[in-house]
Amino acid sequence: MESEPIVTSAVPAHPGHPAPTVEEIIRHRLSAALGGWRGSVETALPTLAFVGVWTWRKDVTLAVTTAVVVTVVLAVLRLVQRQSLQFVLSAAFATAIAAFFALRSGRAEDAFLPGILTSAAWGVATLLSVMLRWPVVGFLVGAGDPRMAEDPFAWRRDPGLVRVCQRLTLVLVVLYAVRVAIMLPLYFAGEVAWLGVAKVGLGWPAWVAAVAVMGVMLVRGRTPQVVPAPDSEATWEWGHHPQADEGTGPRS
């Protein structure tokens, strides 16, 4: 009995239309992973409160207390509105670590040391992931794969998808490198106010800029799928919003 033929090109996901490219598949899956403006505000407010109070009173304990109070208020607002605490909890964890470092040493700039070390660690990790051909962005893309539960590494079987994810991951490598390159000298100089500005500016805004760069790369790329993705049809519809199929009525 003859064996099944090996698929070497993507099958059109929608009758009469070409299969989505690797870039379109990635855009579709990453779109659900981006947070909104409120999450970015909740992440930034404790830092702004810390820097503002410290600049005003030069009191590390008071500055830390203010940041904690702001975090608690944000959490209460989320609970009252019965909304997710995801971003508030992230801010709470970061605030707790920063508070520990600052209160332990009594130096306000030490509140920013955990973030700098974290960025350095992520920078090294993302670079290694590219070198080992297990790019970090690939895991984000794989998380949106309908086959995730049964085959979490299905994304690695498409060499084109891996190559694109490697290029996208390099954008993150640059982002983390920029964060460390700017904030580390400010830390050693004890520039608390500028550290606060840098932390906020290199947080969500820098992430948005990195995503924009990735978006340009994904729009310009035209890498064909080698292993057809199971969500190709959904991706085509997401990108083209067809009103009706040929010979049928409008889709519901």
Side-chain angles (χ1 to χ4, degrees), residues 125-242:
T126 50
L127 180 59
L128 284 176
S129 76
V130 172
M131 295 173 64
L132 297 174
R133 291 185 57 79
W134 284 83
V136 168
V137 172
F139 290 95
L140 297 177
V141 173
D145 193 328
R147 298 167 295 187
M148 177 64 182
E150 297 79 17
D151 190 358
F153 304 122
W155 60 274
R156 293 205 75 249
R157 287 201 291 272
D158 192 318
L161 192 149
V162 173
R163 287 195 301 272
V164 173
C165 286
Q166 284 186 293
R167 292 195 291 268
L168 296 177
T169 303
L170 285 174
V171 176
L172 296 182
V173 174
V174 173
L175 172 61
Y176 291 124
V178 169
R179 284 178 178 174
V180 174
I182 292 177
M183 295 189 69
L184 194 59
L186 292 174
Y187 168 78
F188 285 124
E191 296 287 349
V192 176
W194 282 111
L195 277 168
V197 172
K199 183 176 178 63
V200 173
L202 294 173
W204 182 254
W207 170 249
V208 170
V211 170
V213 172
M214 292 183 187
V216 171
M217 294 169 64
L218 290 174
V219 168
R220 297 180 63 181
R222 292 291 182 271
T223 307
Q225 297 180 60
V226 174
V227 180
D231 53 344
S232 289
E233 182 169 354
T235 302
W236 187 91
E237 294 180 349
W238 172 77
H240 295 80
H241 304 290

Side-chain angles (χ1 to χ4, degrees), residues 19-42:
T21 62
V22 164
E23 286 80 5
E24 288 171 324
I25 291 289
I26 293 175
R27 288 207 311 271
H28 173 60
R29 293 181 183 173
L30 290 183
S31 63
L34 303 179
W37 66 269
R38 183 171 178 178
S40 65
V41 170
E42 289 172 339

Side-chain angles (χ1 to χ4, degrees), residues 37-55:
W37 66 269
R38 183 171 178 178
S40 65
V41 170
E42 289 172 339
T43 302
L45 275 181
T47 297
L48 293 175
F50 176 89
V51 173
V53 172
W54 185 87
T55 303

Side-chain angles (χ1 to χ4, degrees), residues 1-8 11:
M1 184 172 64
E2 294 183 359
S3 59
E4 292 284 328
I6 298 176
V7 176
T8 57
V11 177

